[in-house]
Amino acid sequence: MMRFPIISRPWLFLLASATRLDTFHAFHNTVSRPAHRHSSSLSSSTTDQPDVSRFVTGSRPAGTEQYVMQQTMVRVKDPIKSLEFYCDILGFRLVMFREFPQWEFNVYFVAPVDASDIPSSKEEQWKFCMNTPGCIELTWNYGSETQDGLVYNTGNADSTGTTDGQNVKGGFGHLGITVPDVYEACARFAELGCEFTKTPNSGGMKGLAFVKDPDGYLVEVLPRGEMIQKPIDHAGVAVDGGEGYKDNSK
């Protein structure tokens, strides 16, 4: 089990926390204000600050009221060590896990919930997980635990975890939302011009999708209830088609 050192100078921690809090309040007070020009003593140029006030107020777009920010996926080298960290140290619980030996990976969903609230059946665990905001999906690809050193970079630097500066696999996987109907949501996303790496019926896993954000980060689209399949998705892919497992979700 991983251990963290005890803070021997708590006043330093409190001072740092207060500084971060002041910074947060300063940022928060500017969110709803009109755009203004910001001058920096570190640069001779000025920057027009974007007006983001409209994203704070108003109703959610029609059809998105039940969308849930359900998960962030990260790849892990050793599932037991990762579960010890998130469950034993951070206090999360293992809400649900699934094993996919045919594709040589497993997924473990952890969240800060009470163990007594987690259903006992796999079917109910799925529903509970898909409706719990803020889960972390720990994805373990078979064999990674046998490799020396760190296996994945964290998204902060391609050479993280290497001694020779060579690129390694990305540790960050995707964000994830749950929606009432995956097929209807994806049809809407397509109408809005979104790019998909996997439509609901493509790939080996049916009834879920992956869409790209403007920077190319993947967002997985999952159902809030049972994983249903429809004969044809918005892209015209039949449920019995779509070829094999080609998306980069694992």
Side-chain angles (χ1 to χ4, degrees):
M1 182 186 302
M2 299 178 65
R3 303 288 185 189
F4 285 114
I6 297 175
I7 298 175
S8 59
R9 298 179 181 177
W11 62 271
L12 286 176
F13 174 78
L14 293 174
L15 178 61
S17 299
T19 301
R20 287 194 297 269
L21 186 60
D22 289 341
T23 302
F24 169 77
H25 285 312
F27 166 76
H28 182 269
N29 290 336
T30 65
V31 169
S32 59
R33 296 178 181 177
H36 62 280
R37 298 187 70 84
H38 171 73
S39 298
S40 171
S41 59
L42 300 179
S43 174
S44 59
S45 63
T46 58
T47 302
D48 287 326
Q49 297 300 319
D51 182 2
V52 298
S53 58
R54 78 173 184 87
F55 301 108
V56 179
T57 60
S59 301
R60 298 172 67 172
T64 69
E65 295 86 354
Q66 297 185 59
Y67 287 13
V68 174
M69 174 54 211
Q70 189 267 336
Q71 65 172 265
T72 297
M73 185 275 256
V74 292
R75 299 177 181 90
V76 299
K77 175 180 178 178
D78 187 315
I80 297 300
K81 290 183 178 179
S82 293
L83 288 170
E84 287 177 344
F85 171 77
Y86 284 100
C87 295
D88 295 342
I89 295 178
L90 298 189
F92 288 19
R93 295 293 89 194
L94 179 59
V95 174
M96 180 190 74
F97 70 94
R98 292 290 187 270
E99 299 168 339
F100 300 100
Q102 68 272 37
W103 292 309
E104 298 186 331
F105 78 101
N106 294 352
V107 294
Y108 306 87
F109 289 84
V110 297
V113 299
D114 292 330
S116 59
D117 293 332
I118 302 174
S120 57
S121 72
K122 293 184 66 174
E123 293 75 15
E124 291 302 315
Q125 285 176 2
W126 166 268
K127 294 179 182 179
F128 179 78
C129 182
M130 293 299 105
N131 285 278
T132 299
C135 290
I136 299 175
E137 178 187 6
L138 307 173
T139 297
W140 169 52
N141 289 284
Y142 297 177
S144 60
E145 75 284 359
T146 65
Q147 300 180 39
D148 294 331
L150 297 175
V151 175
Y152 301 111
N153 74 58
T154 61
N156 296 314
D158 285 342
S159 59
T160 300
T162 68
T163 57
D164 56 7
Q166 296 299 309
N167 291 350
V168 295
K169 297 177 181 178
F172 174 80
H174 56 260
L175 303 175
I177 64 170
T178 55
V179 300
D181 188 305
V182 170
Y183 289 81
E184 291 182 2
C186 288
R188 175 176 174 271
F189 297 154
E191 291 177 357
L192 294 173
C194 293
E195 180 182 353
F196 290 81
T197 60
K198 180 191 180 307
T199 64
N201 283 346
S202 64
M205 292 183 173
K206 309 298 182 180
L208 61 86
F210 283 90
V211 64
K212 288 184 178 181
D213 84 347
D215 291 297
Y217 291 112
L218 296 181
V219 179
E220 185 175 18
V221 186
L222 290 161
R224 294 191 66 176
E226 297 180 5
M227 184 77 79
I228 65 170
Q229 301 176 6
K230 294 186 178 182
I232 302 291
D233 65 22
H234 72 276
V237 179
V239 71
D240 57 354
E243 301 182 358
Y245 192 92
K246 288 189 175 182
D247 60 79
N248 191 33
S249 63
K250 79 185 190 79

